[in-house]
Coordinates of all heavy atoms in Angstrom, one line a residue:
N57 N -1.1 28.6 -6.6 CA -1.8 29.0 -7.8 C -2.6 30.2 -7.6 O -2.7 31.1 -8.4 CB -2.6 27.8 -8.3 CG -1.8 26.7 -8.8 OD1 -0.6 26.8 -9.1 ND2 -2.4 25.5 -8.9
Y58 N -3.3 30.3 -6.4 CA -4.1 31.4 -6.1 C -3.3 32.7 -6.0 O -3.7 33.8 -6.5 CB -4.9 31.2 -4.8 CG -5.8 32.3 -4.4 CD1 -7.0 32.6 -5.1 CD2 -5.5 33.1 -3.3 CE1 -7.8 33.7 -4.7 CE2 -6.3 34.2 -2.9 CZ -7.4 34.4 -3.6 OH -8.3 35.5 -3.3
G59 N -2.2 32.6 -5.3 CA -1.3 33.8 -5.2 C -0.8 34.3 -6.5 O -0.8 35.5 -6.8
E60 N -0.5 33.3 -7.4 CA 0.0 33.7 -8.7 C -1.1 34.3 -9.5 O -0.9 35.1 -10.4 CB 0.6 32.5 -9.4 CG 1.9 32.0 -8.8 CD 2.4 30.7 -9.4 OE1 1.7 30.1 -10.2 OE2 3.6 30.3 -9.1
A61 N -2.4 33.8 -9.3 CA -3.5 34.3 -10.1 C -3.8 35.7 -9.8 O -4.2 36.5 -10.7 CB -4.8 33.4 -9.8
I62 N -3.7 36.1 -8.5 CA -3.9 37.5 -8.1 C -2.9 38.4 -8.8 O -3.2 39.5 -9.3 CB -3.8 37.6 -6.6 CG1 -5.0 36.9 -5.9 CG2 -3.8 39.1 -6.2 CD1 -4.9 37.0 -4.4
K63 N -1.6 38.0 -8.8 CA -0.6 38.7 -9.5 C -0.9 38.8 -11.0 O -0.7 39.9 -11.6 CB 0.8 38.1 -9.3 CG 1.3 38.2 -7.9 CD 2.7 37.5 -7.8 CE 3.2 37.6 -6.4 NZ 4.5 36.9 -6.3
S64 N -1.4 37.7 -11.6 CA -1.7 37.7 -13.0 C -2.8 38.6 -13.4 O -2.8 39.3 -14.4 CB -2.0 36.3 -13.5 OG -0.9 35.4 -13.3
I65 N -3.8 38.7 -12.5 CA -5.0 39.6 -12.7 C -4.5 41.0 -12.7 O -4.9 41.8 -13.6 CB -6.1 39.3 -11.7 CG1 -6.7 38.0 -11.9 CG2 -7.1 40.4 -11.7 CD1 -7.7 37.6 -10.8
Q66 N -3.7 41.4 -11.7 CA -3.2 42.7 -11.6 C -2.4 43.1 -12.9 O -2.5 44.2 -13.4 CB -2.3 42.9 -10.4 CG -1.8 44.3 -10.1 CD -2.8 45.3 -9.8 OE1 -3.8 45.0 -9.1 NE2 -2.6 46.5 -10.1
D67 N -1.5 42.2 -13.3 CA -0.7 42.4 -14.5 C -1.5 42.6 -15.7 O -1.3 43.4 -16.6 CB 0.3 41.3 -14.7 CG 1.4 41.3 -13.6 OD1 1.5 42.3 -12.9 OD2 2.1 40.2 -13.4
A68 N -2.6 41.7 -15.8 CA -3.4 41.8 -17.0 C -4.2 43.1 -17.1 O -4.4 43.7 -18.1 CB -4.4 40.6 -17.0
E69 N -4.7 43.5 -15.9 CA -5.4 44.8 -15.9 C -4.5 46.0 -16.3 O -4.9 46.9 -17.0 CB -6.1 45.0 -14.5 CG -7.3 44.1 -14.3 CD -8.0 44.5 -13.0 OE1 -7.3 44.6 -12.0 OE2 -9.2 44.6 -13.0
E70 N -3.3 46.0 -15.8 CA -2.4 47.0 -16.1 C -2.0 47.0 -17.6 O -2.0 48.1 -18.2 CB -1.1 46.9 -15.2 CG -1.3 47.2 -13.8 CD 0.0 47.1 -13.0 OE1 1.1 47.3 -13.6 OE2 -0.1 46.8 -11.8
K71 N -1.9 45.8 -18.1 CA -1.6 45.7 -19.6 C -2.8 46.2 -20.4 O -2.6 46.9 -21.4 CB -1.2 44.3 -19.9 CG -0.8 44.1 -21.4 CD -0.4 42.7 -21.7 CE 0.1 42.6 -23.2 NZ -0.9 43.0 -24.2
L72 N -4.0 45.8 -20.0 CA -5.2 46.2 -20.7 C -5.3 47.7 -20.7 O -5.5 48.3 -21.8 CB -6.4 45.6 -20.0 CG -7.8 46.2 -20.5 CD1 -8.0 45.9 -22.0 CD2 -8.9 45.6 -19.6
L73 N -5.1 48.4 -19.6 CA -5.2 49.8 -19.5 C -4.1 50.5 -20.3 O -4.3 51.6 -20.9 CB -5.2 50.3 -18.1 CG -6.4 49.9 -17.3 CD1 -6.2 50.0 -15.8 CD2 -7.6 50.7 -17.8
K74 N -2.9 49.9 -20.3 CA -1.8 50.5 -21.1 C -2.1 50.4 -22.6 O -1.9 51.4 -23.3 CB -0.5 49.7 -20.8 CG 0.7 50.2 -21.6 CD 2.0 49.4 -21.3 CE 3.1 49.9 -22.1 NZ 4.4 49.0 -21.8
D75 N -2.7 49.3 -23.0 CA -3.0 49.1 -24.4 C -4.2 50.1 -24.8 O -4.2 50.6 -25.9 CB -3.4 47.7 -24.7 CG -2.2 46.7 -24.6 OD1 -1.1 47.2 -24.7 OD2 -2.4 45.5 -24.4
L76 N -5.1 50.2 -23.9 CA -6.2 51.1 -24.2 C -5.7 52.6 -24.2 O -6.2 53.3 -25.1 CB -7.3 51.0 -23.1 CG -8.3 49.8 -23.2 CD1 -9.1 49.8 -21.9 CD2 -9.2 50.0 -24.4
G77 N -4.8 52.9 -23.3 CA -4.3 54.3 -23.3 C -3.6 54.7 -24.6 O -3.5 55.8 -25.0
S78 N -2.9 53.7 -25.2 CA -2.1 53.9 -26.4 C -2.9 53.7 -27.7 O -2.3 53.9 -28.8 CB -0.9 53.1 -26.4 OG -1.2 51.7 -26.4
S79 N -4.1 53.3 -27.5 CA -4.9 52.9 -28.7 C -5.5 54.2 -29.4 O -5.7 55.2 -28.7 CB -6.1 52.0 -28.4 OG -7.0 52.6 -27.6
A80 N -5.8 54.2 -30.7 CA -6.4 55.3 -31.4 C -7.8 55.6 -30.9 O -8.3 56.7 -31.0 CB -6.3 55.0 -32.9
L81 N -8.4 54.5 -30.4 CA -9.8 54.7 -30.0 C -10.0 55.7 -28.9 O -10.9 56.5 -28.9 CB -10.4 53.3 -29.6 CG -11.9 53.3 -29.3 CD1 -12.7 53.7 -30.5 CD2 -12.3 51.9 -28.9
T82 N -9.1 55.6 -27.9 CA -9.2 56.6 -26.8 C -8.8 58.0 -27.2 O -9.2 59.0 -26.6 CB -8.3 56.1 -25.6 OG1 -7.0 55.9 -26.1 CG2 -8.8 54.9 -25.0
A83 N -8.0 58.1 -28.3 CA -7.6 59.4 -28.8 C -8.8 60.2 -29.4 O -8.8 61.4 -29.4 CB -6.5 59.2 -29.8
I84 N -9.7 59.4 -29.9 CA -10.9 60.1 -30.6 C -12.1 60.0 -29.7 O -13.2 60.6 -30.1 CB -11.2 59.4 -32.0 CG1 -11.5 58.0 -31.8 CG2 -10.0 59.6 -32.9 CD1 -12.0 57.3 -33.1
S85 N -12.0 59.4 -28.6 CA -13.2 59.3 -27.7 C -12.9 59.8 -26.3 O -12.3 59.0 -25.5 CB -13.7 57.8 -27.6 OG -14.7 57.7 -26.7
P86 N -13.2 61.0 -26.0 CA -12.9 61.6 -24.7 C -13.6 60.8 -23.6 O -13.1 60.6 -22.5 CB -13.5 63.0 -24.8 CG -13.5 63.3 -26.2 CD -13.8 62.0 -26.9
E87 N -14.8 60.2 -23.9 CA -15.5 59.5 -22.8 C -14.8 58.2 -22.5 O -14.6 57.8 -21.3 CB -16.9 59.1 -23.3 CG -17.9 60.3 -23.5 CD -17.7 61.0 -24.9 OE1 -16.8 60.5 -25.7 OE2 -18.4 61.9 -25.1
L88 N -14.3 57.5 -23.5 CA -13.5 56.3 -23.3 C -12.2 56.6 -22.6 O -11.7 55.8 -21.7 CB -13.2 55.5 -24.6 CG -12.5 54.2 -24.5 CD1 -13.2 53.2 -23.6 CD2 -12.3 53.6 -25.9
R89 N -11.6 57.7 -23.0 CA -10.3 58.1 -22.3 C -10.6 58.4 -20.8 O -9.8 58.0 -20.0 CB -9.8 59.4 -23.0 CG -8.7 60.1 -22.2 CD -7.4 59.3 -22.0 NE -6.8 59.1 -23.3 CZ -5.6 58.4 -23.4 NH1 -5.1 57.9 -22.4 NH2 -5.1 58.2 -24.6
R90 N -11.7 59.1 -20.5 CA -12.0 59.3 -19.1 C -12.3 58.1 -18.4 O -11.8 57.9 -17.2 CB -13.2 60.3 -19.1 CG -13.5 60.7 -17.6 CD -14.6 61.8 -17.6 NE -15.8 61.5 -18.3 CZ -16.3 62.0 -19.4 NH1 -15.6 63.0 -20.0 NH2 -17.4 61.7 -20.0
A91 N -13.0 57.1 -19.0 CA -13.3 55.9 -18.3 C -12.1 55.1 -18.1 O -11.9 54.4 -17.0 CB -14.3 55.1 -19.2
T92 N -11.1 55.1 -19.1 CA -9.9 54.4 -18.9 C -9.0 54.9 -17.8 O -8.5 54.2 -17.0 CB -9.1 54.5 -20.3 OG1 -9.9 53.9 -21.3 CG2 -7.8 53.7 -20.1
D93 N -9.0 56.3 -17.7 CA -8.2 56.9 -16.7 C -8.8 56.6 -15.3 O -8.1 56.4 -14.3 CB -8.2 58.4 -16.9 CG -7.4 58.8 -18.1 OD1 -6.6 58.0 -18.5 OD2 -7.5 60.0 -18.5
E94 N -10.2 56.6 -15.2 CA -10.8 56.2 -13.9 C -10.6 54.8 -13.5 O -10.3 54.5 -12.4 CB -12.3 56.5 -14.1 CG -12.7 58.0 -14.2 CD -14.1 58.2 -14.5 OE1 -14.8 57.2 -14.8 OE2 -14.6 59.4 -14.4
Y95 N -10.6 53.9 -14.5 CA -10.3 52.5 -14.3 C -8.9 52.3 -13.8 O -8.6 51.6 -12.9 CB -10.6 51.7 -15.6 CG -10.5 50.2 -15.5 CD1 -10.6 49.5 -14.2 CD2 -10.3 49.4 -16.6 CE1 -10.4 48.2 -14.2 CE2 -10.1 48.1 -16.5 CZ -10.2 47.4 -15.3 OH -10.1 46.1 -15.3
L96 N -8.0 53.1 -14.5 CA -6.6 53.0 -14.1 C -6.3 53.4 -12.7 O -5.5 52.8 -12.0 CB -5.7 53.9 -15.1 CG -4.2 54.0 -14.8 CD1 -3.6 52.6 -14.9 CD2 -3.6 54.9 -15.7
S97 N -7.0 54.4 -12.3 CA -6.8 54.9 -10.9 C -7.2 53.8 -9.9 O -6.5 53.7 -8.9 CB -7.6 56.2 -10.6 OG -9.0 55.9 -10.7
V98 N -8.3 53.1 -10.1 CA -8.7 52.1 -9.2 C -7.7 50.9 -9.3 O -7.3 50.4 -8.2 CB -10.1 51.6 -9.6 CG1 -10.5 50.4 -8.7 CG2 -11.1 52.7 -9.5
V99 N -7.3 50.5 -10.5 CA -6.3 49.4 -10.6 C -5.0 49.7 -9.9 O -4.5 48.8 -9.2 CB -6.1 49.1 -12.1 CG1 -4.9 48.1 -12.2 CG2 -7.3 48.5 -12.7
M100 N -4.5 50.9 -10.0 CA -3.3 51.3 -9.3 C -3.5 51.4 -7.8 O -2.5 51.0 -7.0 CB -2.8 52.6 -9.9 CG -2.4 52.6 -11.3 SD -1.4 51.1 -11.8 CE 0.1 51.4 -10.9
E101 N -4.6 51.8 -7.4 CA -4.9 51.8 -5.9 C -5.0 50.4 -5.4 O -4.7 50.1 -4.2 CB -6.2 52.5 -5.6 CG -6.1 54.0 -5.8 CD -7.5 54.7 -5.6 OE1 -8.5 54.0 -5.3 OE2 -7.6 55.9 -5.9
M102 N -5.4 49.4 -6.2 CA -5.5 48.0 -5.8 C -4.2 47.3 -5.9 O -4.1 46.2 -5.3 CB -6.5 47.3 -6.7 CG -8.0 47.5 -6.3 SD -8.3 47.0 -4.6 CE -8.0 45.2 -4.7
K103 N -3.2 47.8 -6.5 CA -1.9 47.1 -6.7 C -1.3 46.8 -5.4 O -0.8 45.6 -5.2 CB -1.0 48.0 -7.6 CG 0.3 47.2 -7.9 CD 1.2 48.0 -8.9 CE 2.4 47.1 -9.3 NZ 3.2 47.8 -10.4
P104 N -1.1 47.7 -4.4 CA -0.5 47.3 -3.1 C -1.3 46.2 -2.4 O -0.8 45.3 -1.8 CB -0.6 48.6 -2.3 CG -0.6 49.7 -3.3 CD -1.4 49.1 -4.5
K105 N -2.7 46.3 -2.6 CA -3.5 45.2 -1.9 C -3.3 43.9 -2.6 O -3.3 42.8 -1.9 CB -5.0 45.7 -2.0 CG -6.0 44.6 -1.5 CD -5.7 44.2 0.0 CE -6.0 45.4 0.9 NZ -5.8 44.9 2.3
S106 N -3.2 43.9 -3.9 CA -2.9 42.6 -4.7 C -1.6 42.0 -4.2 O -1.5 40.8 -4.0 CB -2.9 42.9 -6.2 OG -4.1 43.4 -6.6
E107 N -0.6 42.8 -4.1 CA 0.7 42.3 -3.7 C 0.7 41.8 -2.2 O 1.3 40.8 -1.9 CB 1.8 43.4 -3.8 CG 2.0 43.8 -5.3 CD 2.9 45.0 -5.4 OE1 3.2 45.7 -4.4 OE2 3.4 45.3 -6.5
E108 N 0.0 42.6 -1.4 CA -0.1 42.2 0.0 C -0.9 40.9 0.1 O -0.5 40.0 0.9 CB -0.9 43.3 0.8 CG -1.2 43.0 2.2 CD -2.1 44.0 2.9 OE1 -1.9 45.2 2.5 OE2 -2.9 43.6 3.7
T109 N -2.0 40.7 -0.6 CA -2.8 39.5 -0.5 C -2.1 38.3 -1.0 O -2.1 37.2 -0.4 CB -4.1 39.7 -1.3 OG1 -4.8 40.8 -0.8 CG2 -5.0 38.4 -1.2
S110 N -1.4 38.5 -2.2 CA -0.6 37.4 -2.7 C 0.5 36.9 -1.7 O 0.7 35.6 -1.6 CB 0.1 37.8 -4.0 OG 0.8 36.7 -4.6
S111 N 1.1 37.8 -1.0 CA 2.1 37.4 0.0 C 1.4 36.8 1.2 O 1.9 35.8 1.8 CB 2.9 38.6 0.4 OG 3.8 38.3 1.5
A112 N 0.2 37.4 1.6 CA -0.4 37.0 2.8 C -1.0 35.5 2.7 O -0.9 34.8 3.7 CB -1.6 37.9 3.1
V113 N -1.5 35.2 1.6 CA -2.1 33.8 1.5 C -1.0 32.8 1.6 O -1.2 31.7 2.1 CB -2.9 33.6 0.1 CG1 -4.1 34.5 0.1 CG2 -2.0 33.9 -1.1
Q114 N 0.2 33.1 1.1 CA 1.3 32.2 1.3 C 1.7 32.1 2.8 O 2.0 31.0 3.3 CB 2.5 32.6 0.4 CG 3.7 31.7 0.5 CD 3.4 30.3 -0.1 OE1 2.6 30.1 -1.0 NE2 4.1 29.3 0.4
Q115 N 1.7 33.2 3.5 CA 2.2 33.2 4.9 C 1.2 32.6 5.8 O 1.6 31.9 6.8 CB 2.4 34.7 5.3 CG 3.5 35.4 4.6 CD 3.6 36.9 5.0 OE1 2.8 37.4 5.8 NE2 4.6 37.5 4.4
V116 N -0.1 32.7 5.5 CA -1.1 32.2 6.5 C -1.6 30.8 6.1 O -2.1 30.1 7.0 CB -2.4 33.1 6.5 CG1 -2.1 34.5 6.9 CG2 -3.2 33.1 5.2
M117 N -1.3 30.3 4.9 CA -1.8 29.0 4.5 C -0.6 28.2 3.9 O -0.4 27.0 4.3 CB -2.9 29.1 3.5 CG -3.7 27.9 3.3 SD -4.7 27.4 4.8 CE -5.6 26.0 4.1
G118 N 0.1 28.7 2.9 CA 1.1 27.9 2.2 C 2.2 27.5 3.1 O 2.6 26.3 3.2
D119 N 2.9 28.5 3.8 CA 4.0 28.2 4.6 C 3.7 27.3 5.8 O 4.4 26.3 6.1 CB 4.7 29.5 5.1 CG 5.3 30.2 4.0 OD1 5.6 29.6 2.9 OD2 5.6 31.5 4.2
P120 N 2.6 27.6 6.6 CA 2.3 26.7 7.7 C 2.0 25.2 7.2 O 2.4 24.3 7.9 CB 1.0 27.3 8.3 CG 1.1 28.8 8.0 CD 1.7 28.8 6.6
L121 N 1.3 25.1 6.1 CA 1.0 23.8 5.6 C 2.3 23.0 5.2 O 2.4 21.8 5.5 CB 0.1 23.9 4.4 CG -1.4 23.9 4.6 CD1 -2.2 24.2 3.3 CD2 -1.9 22.6 5.3
K122 N 3.2 23.7 4.6 CA 4.5 23.0 4.3 C 5.2 22.6 5.5 O 5.8 21.5 5.6 CB 5.3 24.0 3.4 CG 4.8 24.1 2.0 CD 5.9 24.7 1.1 CE 6.3 26.1 1.4 NZ 7.3 26.6 0.5
Q123 N 5.2 23.5 6.5 CA 5.9 23.1 7.8 C 5.3 21.9 8.5 O 6.0 21.0 8.9 CB 5.8 24.3 8.7 CG 6.7 25.5 8.2 CD 6.5 26.8 9.1 OE1 5.8 26.8 10.1 NE2 7.1 27.9 8.6
Y124 N 3.9 21.9 8.5 CA 3.2 20.7 9.1 C 3.5 19.5 8.2 O 3.7 18.4 8.8 CB 1.7 21.0 9.2 CG 1.0 19.9 10.0 CD1 0.9 19.9 11.4 CD2 0.5 18.8 9.3 CE1 0.3 18.9 12.1 CE2 -0.1 17.8 10.0 CZ -0.2 17.8 11.4 OH -0.8 16.8 12.1
H125 N 3.4 19.7 6.9 CA 3.6 18.6 6.0 C 5.0 17.9 6.2 O 5.1 16.7 6.1 CB 3.5 19.2 4.6 CG 3.3 18.2 3.5 ND1 2.3 17.1 3.6 CD2 3.8 18.0 2.3 CE1 2.3 16.4 2.5 NE2 3.3 16.9 1.7
A126 N 6.0 18.7 6.5 CA 7.3 18.2 6.6 C 7.5 17.4 7.9 O 8.5 16.6 8.0 CB 8.3 19.4 6.6
L127 N 6.6 17.6 8.9 CA 6.7 16.8 10.1 C 6.5 15.3 9.9 O 6.9 14.5 10.7 CB 5.6 17.3 11.1 CG 5.8 18.7 11.6 CD1 4.6 19.0 12.5 CD2 7.1 18.9 12.4
Y128 N 5.9 14.9 8.7 CA 5.7 13.5 8.4 C 7.1 12.8 8.3 O 7.2 11.6 8.6 CB 4.9 13.3 7.1 CG 5.0 11.9 6.6 CD1 4.3 10.9 7.2 CD2 5.9 11.6 5.6 CE1 4.4 9.6 6.8 CE2 6.0 10.2 5.2 CZ 5.3 9.3 5.8 OH 5.4 8.0 5.4
E129 N 8.1 13.6 7.9 CA 9.4 12.9 7.7 C 9.9 12.3 9.0 O 10.6 11.2 8.9 CB 10.4 14.0 7.2 CG 10.1 14.5 5.8 CD 11.0 15.6 5.3 OE1 12.0 15.8 6.0 OE2 10.8 16.2 4.3
H130 N 9.6 12.9 10.1 CA 10.0 12.3 11.4 C 9.2 11.0 11.6 O 9.8 10.0 12.1 CB 9.7 13.3 12.6 CG 9.7 12.6 13.9 ND1 10.9 12.2 14.5 CD2 8.7 12.3 14.8 CE1 10.6 11.7 15.7 NE2 9.3 11.7 15.9
L131 N 8.0 11.0 11.3 CA 7.1 9.8 11.5 C 7.6 8.7 10.5 O 7.6 7.5 10.9 CB 5.7 10.2 11.1 CG 4.6 9.3 11.6 CD1 4.6 9.2 13.2 CD2 3.2 9.7 11.1
D132 N 8.0 9.1 9.3 CA 8.5 8.1 8.4 C 9.8 7.5 8.8 O 10.0 6.3 8.5 CB 8.6 8.8 7.0 CG 8.8 7.7 5.9 OD1 8.0 6.8 5.8 OD2 9.8 7.9 5.1
T133 N 10.6 8.3 9.5 CA 11.9 7.7 10.0 C 11.6 6.6 11.0 O 12.2 5.5 11.1 CB 12.7 8.8 10.7 OG1 13.1 9.8 9.7 CG2 14.0 8.2 11.3
L134 N 10.6 6.9 11.9 CA 10.2 5.9 12.9 C 9.6 4.7 12.2 O 9.8 3.5 12.6 CB 9.2 6.5 13.8 CG 8.7 5.7 15.1 CD1 10.0 5.3 15.9 CD2 7.7 6.5 15.9
R135 N 8.8 4.9 11.1 CA 8.3 3.8 10.4 C 9.4 2.9 9.8 O 9.3 1.6 9.8 CB 7.4 4.3 9.3 CG 6.5 3.3 8.5 CD 7.1 2.7 7.4 NE 7.7 3.7 6.4 CZ 8.5 3.4 5.5 NH1 8.9 2.1 5.3 NH2 9.0 4.3 4.7
R136 N 10.4 3.5 9.3 CA 11.5 2.7 8.7 C 12.2 1.9 9.8 O 12.7 0.8 9.5 CB 12.5 3.6 8.0 CG 11.9 4.2 6.7 CD 13.0 4.8 5.8 NE 13.7 5.9 6.5 CZ 13.3 7.2 6.4 NH1 12.3 7.5 5.7 NH2 14.0 8.2 7.0
R137 N 12.4 2.5 11.0 CA 13.0 1.7 12.1 C 12.2 0.5 12.4 O 12.7 -0.6 12.7 CB 13.1 2.7 13.3 CG 14.3 3.6 13.2 CD 14.3 4.5 14.5 NE 14.4 3.6 15.7 CZ 13.9 3.9 16.9 NH1 13.4 5.1 17.1 NH2 14.0 3.1 17.9
R138 N 10.9 0.7 12.5 CA 9.9 -0.4 12.8 C 10.0 -1.5 11.8 O 10.1 -2.7 12.1 CB 8.5 0.2 12.9 CG 7.4 -0.8 13.2 CD 6.7 -1.1 12.0 NE 5.5 -1.9 12.2 CZ 4.9 -2.7 11.3 NH1 5.4 -2.8 10.1 NH2 3.8 -3.3 11.6
D139 N 10.1 -1.1 10.5 CA 10.2 -2.1 9.4 C 11.5 -2.9 9.4 O 11.5 -4.1 9.2 CB 9.9 -1.4 8.0 CG 8.5 -1.0 7.8 OD1 7.6 -1.3 8.7 OD2 8.2 -0.3 6.8
A140 N 12.6 -2.1 9.7 CA 13.9 -2.8 9.8 C 13.9 -3.8 11.0 O 14.5 -4.9 10.8 CB 15.0 -1.7 10.0
Q141 N 13.3 -3.4 12.1 CA 13.2 -4.4 13.2 C 12.4 -5.6 12.9 O 12.7 -6.7 13.4 CB 12.7 -3.7 14.5 CG 12.8 -4.5 15.7 CD 14.2 -4.9 16.1 OE1 15.2 -4.2 15.8 NE2 14.3 -6.0 16.8
L142 N 11.3 -5.4 12.1 CA 10.5 -6.5 11.7 C 11.3 -7.5 10.9 O 11.1 -8.7 11.0 CB 9.3 -6.0 10.9 CG 8.4 -7.0 10.3 CD1 7.7 -7.9 11.4 CD2 7.3 -6.4 9.4
V143 N 12.2 -7.0 10.0 CA 13.0 -7.9 9.2 C 13.9 -8.7 10.2 O 14.2 -9.9 9.9 CB 13.9 -7.0 8.2 CG1 14.9 -7.9 7.6 CG2 13.0 -6.4 7.2
V144 N 14.5 -8.1 11.2 CA 15.3 -8.8 12.2 C 14.5 -9.9 12.8 O 15.0 -11.1 12.9 CB 15.8 -7.8 13.3 CG1 16.6 -8.6 14.4 CG2 16.7 -6.8 12.7
V145 N 13.3 -9.7 13.2 CA 12.5 -10.7 13.8 C 12.2 -11.8 12.9 O 12.3 -13.0 13.2 CB 11.1 -10.1 14.3 CG1 10.2 -11.2 14.8 CG2 11.4 -9.1 15.4
Q146 N 11.9 -11.5 11.6 CA 11.6 -12.5 10.6 C 12.8 -13.4 10.3 O 12.7 -14.6 10.2 CB 11.1 -11.9 9.3 CG 9.7 -11.2 9.5 CD 9.3 -10.4 8.3 OE1 10.2 -9.8 7.6 NE2 8.0 -10.3 8.1
K147 N 14.0 -12.8 10.3 CA 15.2 -13.6 10.1 C 15.5 -14.5 11.3 O 15.9 -15.7 11.1 CB 16.4 -12.6 9.9 CG 16.5 -11.9 8.6 CD 17.7 -11.0 8.5 CE 17.8 -10.3 7.1 NZ 19.0 -9.5 7.0
C148 N 15.3 -14.0 12.5 CA 15.4 -14.9 13.7 C 14.4 -16.1 13.6 O 14.8 -17.2 13.9 CB 15.2 -14.1 14.9 SG 16.5 -13.0 15.4
Q149 N 13.2 -15.8 13.2 CA 12.2 -16.9 13.1 C 12.6 -17.9 12.0 O 12.4 -19.1 12.2 CB 10.8 -16.2 12.8 CG 9.7 -17.3 12.8 CD 9.5 -17.9 14.1 OE1 9.4 -17.2 15.1 NE2 9.5 -19.2 14.1
D150 N 13.1 -17.4 10.9 CA 13.5 -18.3 9.8 C 14.7 -19.2 10.3 O 14.7 -20.4 10.0 CB 14.0 -17.5 8.6 CG 12.8 -16.8 7.9 OD1 11.7 -17.2 8.1 OD2 13.1 -15.9 7.1

Side-chain angles (χ1 to χ4, degrees):
N57 291 341
Y58 179 70
E60 292 176 351
I62 292 177
K63 291 181 180 178
S64 297
I65 290 172
Q66 181 69 31
D67 292 343
E69 287 187 313
E70 290 181 27
K71 183 179 185 302
L72 170 62
L73 290 165
K74 180 181 178 181
D75 292 339
L76 280 173
S78 61
S79 71
L81 188 57
T82 54
I84 62 175
S85 173
E87 293 85 358
L88 182 56
R89 166 63 67 180
R90 184 169 58 245
T92 300
D93 290 343
E94 291 172 352
Y95 184 23
L96 176 61
S97 68
V98 176
V99 170
M100 296 314 295
E101 287 175 6
M102 280 299 299
K103 186 171 184 176
K105 176 58 68 174
S106 297
E107 295 172 348
E108 176 188 324
T109 301
S110 181
S111 175
V113 295
Q114 182 65 29
Q115 292 174 2
V116 303
M117 195 70 174
D119 293 342
L121 273 174
K122 286 199 292 182
Q123 290 171 7
Y124 186 88
H125 197 47
L127 294 177
Y128 167 76
E129 295 178 6
H130 165 71
L131 199 64
D132 193 50
T133 299
L134 188 58
R135 191 271 308 167
R136 290 195 297 270
R137 283 182 54 206
R138 179 257 190 204
D139 288 353
Q141 186 61 28
L142 176 61
V143 172
V144 173
V145 173
Q146 290 171 333
K147 286 182 177 180
C148 287
Q149 185 61 51
D150 291 342

